[in-house]
């Protein structure tokens, strides 16, 4: 395949280093995704092809979001009281080089029957949990019977209102999305899917068919996009991506600042970049195409949305906001409001 040809063309020393990189962080891709690539340095290649830089980066954390520490039972992360993240799958179709959970690639630990039972028991016992987010790995790669069992068991728990699934399959292995899978998901509604697209070139006929198959089954589709240096960190690229996602009935949900994962710092953009891009996009794309820009704080302190600043001045009786063409415009405040607003805006 093309990747192998590119590897063979590298000078010997570099090839050796790449071998060390993939020993630590194994290489994996799909035919579909690698066919989107034109050369290893393009937006597709950068997400897929191992680089020596991965081993040269000692900064950051193995587990930046403290997921292991926040797991009361194996693979179940309980950070927010009302929702849990359950890593039910240990495999992905492709290994994205910037992945937050790349620590799990080398020795993937499948969820055992015992862990599955423990997870279900934990969720049943905690009535404050309303929302279960299945992730991994990619839950849509699980054998259908296993996925069905998980969904069925969750649906049997009275306090569970919604089920969410995070998947990159429609982007990297759209052939894996077929009617039987969509029907299975639809039998357990309300099920929401959060997909993962990072670049407009990831959208083609196949991924469109996969998304439409899921949307036709009544599944609301969102996308979590990671802001990646040299891949999508400019307004034109992201604007096109977000607008095109809408045409597949996928609603941009989050634009994520890179986590502080060890061996991924070459992907990290300054925080100001994300804010600038969003500010520029606000008036160019439909409001539906605007995701929230969030930082998932290190140590498990949660996803925090950031907004470009548009408050110019806060007076006793009015606030001055910058309008979409850049002009200042004053909006009247109710008596006494100024004080609480000042406090809110500081925190
Ligand atoms: C991201 C995440 C969630 C879901 O967060 P939302 O903001 O509701 O999408 C839940 N639990 C954990 C541990 C997470 O990382
Ligand atoms: S699909 Fe998601 S979990 Fe899997 S390697 Fe890519 S970023 Fe990581």
């Amino acid at each position: 395949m093309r990747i192998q040809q590119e590897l063979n063309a590298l000078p010997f020393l570099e090839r050796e280093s790449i071998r060390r990189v993939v020993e630590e962080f194994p290489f994996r891709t799909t035919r579909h995704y690698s066919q989107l690539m034109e050369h290893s340095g393009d937006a597709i290649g950068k997400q897929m092809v191992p680089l020596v830089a991965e081993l040269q980066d000692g900064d950051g954390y193995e587990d930046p979001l403290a997921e292991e520490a926040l797991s009361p039972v194996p693979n179940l992360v309980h950070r927010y009281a009302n929702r849990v993240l359950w890593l039910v799958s240990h495999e992905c179709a492709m290994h994205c080089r910037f992945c937050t959970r790349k620590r799990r690639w080398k020795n993937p630990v499948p969820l055992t029957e015992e862990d599955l039972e423990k997870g279900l028991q934990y969720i049943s016992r905690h009535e404050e949990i309303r929302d279960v987010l299945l992730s991994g790995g990619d839950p849509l790669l699980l054998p259908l019977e296993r996925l069905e069992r998980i969904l069925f068991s969750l649906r049997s728990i009275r306090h569970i209102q919604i089920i969410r699934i995070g998947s990159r399959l429609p982007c990297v292995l759209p052939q894996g999305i077929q009617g039987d899978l969509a029907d299975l998901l639809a039998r357990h509604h309300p099920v929401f899917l959060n997909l993962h697209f990072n670049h407009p070139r990831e959208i083609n006929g196949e991924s469109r068919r996969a998304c439409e198959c899921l949307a036709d089954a009544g599944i609301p589709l969102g996308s979590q996009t990671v802001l990646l240096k040299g891949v999508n960190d400019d307004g034109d690229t992201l604007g096109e991506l977000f607008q095109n996602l809408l045409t597949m009935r996928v609603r941009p949900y989050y634009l994520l600042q890179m986590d502080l994962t060890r061996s991924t710092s070459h992907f990290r953009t300054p925080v100001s970049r994300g804010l600038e891009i969003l500010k520029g996009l606000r008036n160019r794309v439909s409001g539906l195409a605007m995701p929230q820009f969030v930082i998932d704080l290190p140590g498990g302190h949660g996803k925090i949305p950031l907004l470009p600043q548009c408050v110019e001045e806060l007076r006793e009786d009015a606030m001055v906001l910058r309008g979409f063409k850049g002009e200042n415009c004053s909006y009247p405040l109710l008596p006494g409001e100024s004080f609480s607003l000042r406090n809110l805006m500081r925190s």
Side-chain angles (χ1 to χ4, degrees):
M1 218 170 39
R2 212 161 6 170
I3 311 272
Q4 195 57 48
Q5 286 164 10
E6 293 222 10
L7 275 184
N8 288 342
L10 289 174
F12 175 72
L13 271 181
E14 216 170 311
R15 216 157 61 216
E16 267 313 297
S17 323
I18 296 287
R19 214 181 303 283
R20 280 193 292 122
V21 179
V22 297
E23 257 168 41
E24 188 63 29
F25 303 112
F27 169 74
R28 180 183 269 208
T29 190
T30 61
R31 177 179 295 268
H32 174 86
Y33 201 78
S34 59
Q35 280 173 348
L36 301 174
M37 180 179 90
E38 278 162 14
H39 60 88
S40 60
D42 69 11
I44 303 294
K46 280 183 178 157
Q47 297 184 60
M48 171 177 82
V49 178
L51 283 189
V52 177
E54 295 177 41
L55 287 188
Q56 292 161 346
D57 170 25
D59 290 347
Y61 311 85
E62 288 282 300
D63 177 10
L65 309 179
E67 293 181 330
E68 314 287 348
L70 291 171
S71 299
V73 300
N75 287 6
L76 188 104
V77 188
H78 196 180
R79 181 203 286 164
Y80 306 107
N82 70 329
R83 49 208 197 274
V84 285
L85 169 67
W86 198 8
L87 309 177
V88 291
S89 165
H90 64 285
E91 273 190 322
C92 291
M94 152 175 166
H95 284 169
C96 317
R97 305 314 297 181
F98 52 84
C99 177
T100 295
R101 299 200 189 107
K102 65 198 288 188
R103 67 181 184 278
R104 297 160 59 100
W105 291 351
K106 198 159 112 182
N107 302 305
V109 190
L111 195 73
T112 61
E113 278 302 306
E114 198 190 334
D115 292 340
L116 194 65
E117 278 310 315
K118 276 191 192 158
L120 285 170
Q121 272 175 22
Y122 182 89
I123 295 168
S124 330
R125 275 204 311 267
H126 286 79
E127 291 183 17
E128 69 277 20
I129 300 172
R130 299 290 167 86
D131 169 353
V132 178
L133 171 46
L134 303 178
S135 183
D138 201 313
L140 298 190
L141 274 186
L142 289 173
L144 289 189
E145 313 79 70
R146 188 155 174 98
L147 184 59
E148 170 112 62
R149 216 190 108 206
I150 295 174
L151 294 175
F152 178 83
S153 309
L154 287 173
R155 272 285 157 251
S156 319
I157 303 175
R158 273 228 310 282
H159 52 268
I160 297 307
Q161 296 176 331
I162 65 165
I163 299 173
R164 288 195 269 177
I165 300 177
S167 173
R168 214 182 174 194
L169 230 53
C171 174
V172 300
L173 187 62
Q175 297 79 4
I177 307 289
Q178 299 297 341
D180 50 354
L181 174 64
D183 291 343
L184 187 163
L185 298 175
R187 282 200 295 280
H188 300 88
H189 269 321
V191 173
F192 291 70
L193 272 181
N194 254 333
L195 311 179
H196 178 173
F197 285 89
N198 293 331
H199 195 275
R201 272 177 49 206
E202 295 173 342
I203 297 177
N204 66 7
E206 270 299 303
S207 47
R208 186 172 293 279
R209 184 208 55 80
C211 292
E212 287 174 355
C213 171
L214 295 163
D216 284 345
I219 304 164
L221 304 177
S223 174
Q224 307 203 143
T225 296
V226 185
L227 185 56
L228 299 166
K229 186 161 137 195
V231 172
N232 61 9
D233 59 338
D234 65 275
D236 288 342
T237 305
L238 284 182
E240 190 185 343
L241 172 67
F242 296 151
Q243 199 70 41
N244 289 351
L245 284 171
L246 285 184
T247 69
M248 305 196 292
R249 286 178 278 170
V250 179
R251 168 87 153 90
Y253 176 56
Y254 280 154
L255 174 66
L256 294 150
Q257 170 74 8
M258 269 295 294
D259 291 330
L260 304 178
T261 314
R262 186 174 301 151
S263 93
T264 65
S265 67
H266 54 294
F267 285 111
R268 199 173 306 148
T269 52
V271 174
S272 57
R273 199 76 260 274
L275 288 171
E276 275 162 17
I277 292 175
L278 284 192
K279 190 170 164 202
L281 279 184
R282 187 72 191 92
N283 314 312
R284 281 176 38 205
V285 300
S286 152
L288 273 179
M290 292 294 294
Q292 275 195 347
F293 178 47
V294 298
I295 300 189
D296 212 337
L297 291 176
H301 294 274
K303 293 187 181 67
I304 305 302
L306 293 180
L307 279 172
Q309 184 58 262
C310 55
V311 179
E312 289 291 303
E313 193 192 339
L314 196 52
R315 294 202 222 106
E316 213 32 57
D317 59 341
M319 71 197 295
V320 180
L321 298 171
R322 203 167 332 108
F324 83 95
K325 289 181 189 146
E327 77 289 19
N328 280 352
C329 186
S330 132
Y331 184 87
L333 296 180
L334 297 169
E337 191 186 352
S338 174
F339 177 73
S340 46
L341 200 54
R342 204 175 295 275
N343 276 338
L344 275 173
M345 284 179 16
R346 207 176 32 215
S347 65

